[in-house]
Amino acid sequence: DVKVTQSSRYLVKRTGEKVFLECVQDMDHENMFWYRQDPGLGLRLIYFSYDVKMKEKGDIPEGYSVSREKKERFSLILESASTNQTSMYLCASSLPSSKEQYFGPGTRLTVT
Amino acid sequence: AQKVTQAQTEISVVEKEDVTLDCVYETRDTTYYLFWYKQPPSGELVFLIRRNSFDEQNEISGRYSWNFQKSTSSFNFTITASQVVDSAVYFCALSEAQEYGNKLVFGAGTILRVKS
């Protein structure tokens, strides 16, 4: 079974802090994704990566950056957290051809 | 541009009732993929089905069935004889074949509550 893990289930940070969300997958997938989930808006793509050190902006990249130094790990970085970044963050991975994405359990981030 | 609409924000049913979750999509591509995911209270999205645009056959898997109609751009999901364990948020999603990196566009989700 594909396993996607995220470093924290719940996180509380203060405004202005730098925040790191980590995601690790164990299936050698090329593609990895970061989404945020907000009520009434579904999941929106922040960034994705199709290979090590490669990244592409999604629909809402502002205020975020990413890092992919190793194939299995994809990090989401909030350079200076703001209250409007309070949300559920979901990581996913997939093979290039399958289209099907496998999701981690999510990190519920609260910025106060 | 791609778009997925799930007009039903929340549905409540009593156990053993049948329930249909609606999904309408927009795309300019002739080749695309449609998905349904389930998000139980634990939070992790669970893949349910993928359908490509050339396969309009309906699919049945146990109590779940999917009705894909290109003529109305709909991909509806029916749960027969619902159970309390079906309570979850259900997402419909679209991926265009030409889209590099197989990005998904999600609908807003439908909250399904099944009461005993």
Side-chain angles (χ1 to χ4, degrees), chain A residues 8-74:
Chain A
S8 307
R9 291 301 303 270
Y10 300 94
L11 209 52
V12 179
K13 295 292 182 181
R14 293 185 181 274
T15 302
E17 279 193 77
K18 190 168 187 175
V19 181
F20 292 87
L21 302 182
E22 304 286 342
C23 175
V24 177
Q25 50 94 5
D26 66 358
M27 284 302 291
D28 205 34
H29 284 173
E30 283 80 3
N31 296 340
M32 295 189 75
F33 307 81
W34 274 108
Y35 296 89
R36 64 176 282 176
Q37 180 182 357
D38 299 288
L41 297 177
L43 278 72
R44 293 178 293 166
L45 182 64
I46 304 171
Y47 267 97
F48 72 100
S49 168
Y50 50 90
D51 202 350
V52 176
K53 296 190 186 295
M54 307 302 287
K55 60 185 179 185
E56 290 280 343
K57 292 180 180 179
D59 299 319
I60 51 165
E62 297 78 20
Y64 304 95
S65 62
V66 290
S67 172
R68 192 159 180 208
E69 297 296 318
K70 293 185 178 181
K71 191 175 186 179
E72 67 271 19
R73 187 180 297 270
F74 191 36

Side-chain angles (χ1 to χ4, degrees), chain B residues 26-109:
Chain B
E26 295 176 28
T27 177
R28 293 179 189 160
D29 269 14
T30 56
T31 303
Y32 51 89
Y33 300 85
L34 294 163
F35 302 79
W36 276 96
Y37 282 85
K38 174 182 179 180
Q39 185 180 41
S42 61
E44 186 170 331
L45 267 75
V46 177
F47 167 78
L48 296 178
I49 189 172
R50 179 185 71 180
R51 176 64 82 217
N52 74 54
S53 52
F54 297 110
D55 183 1
E56 283 193 77
Q57 283 192 355
N58 291 332
E59 177 147 345
I60 298 174
S61 176
R63 296 183 297 106
Y64 294 172
S65 62
W66 291 270
N67 183 352
F68 176 29
Q69 291 197 345
K70 286 177 78 170
S71 60
T72 56
S73 297
S74 65
F75 186 44
N76 295 337
F77 172 31
T78 297
I79 302 174
T80 303
S82 60
Q83 300 176 1
V84 173
V85 294
D86 295 327
S87 296
V89 184
Y90 290 87
F91 291 97
C92 181
L94 165 71
S95 177
E96 292 176 341
Q98 303 306 318
E99 194 66 66
Y100 188 72
N102 65 287
K103 293 183 290 183
L104 293 177
V105 172
F106 285 84

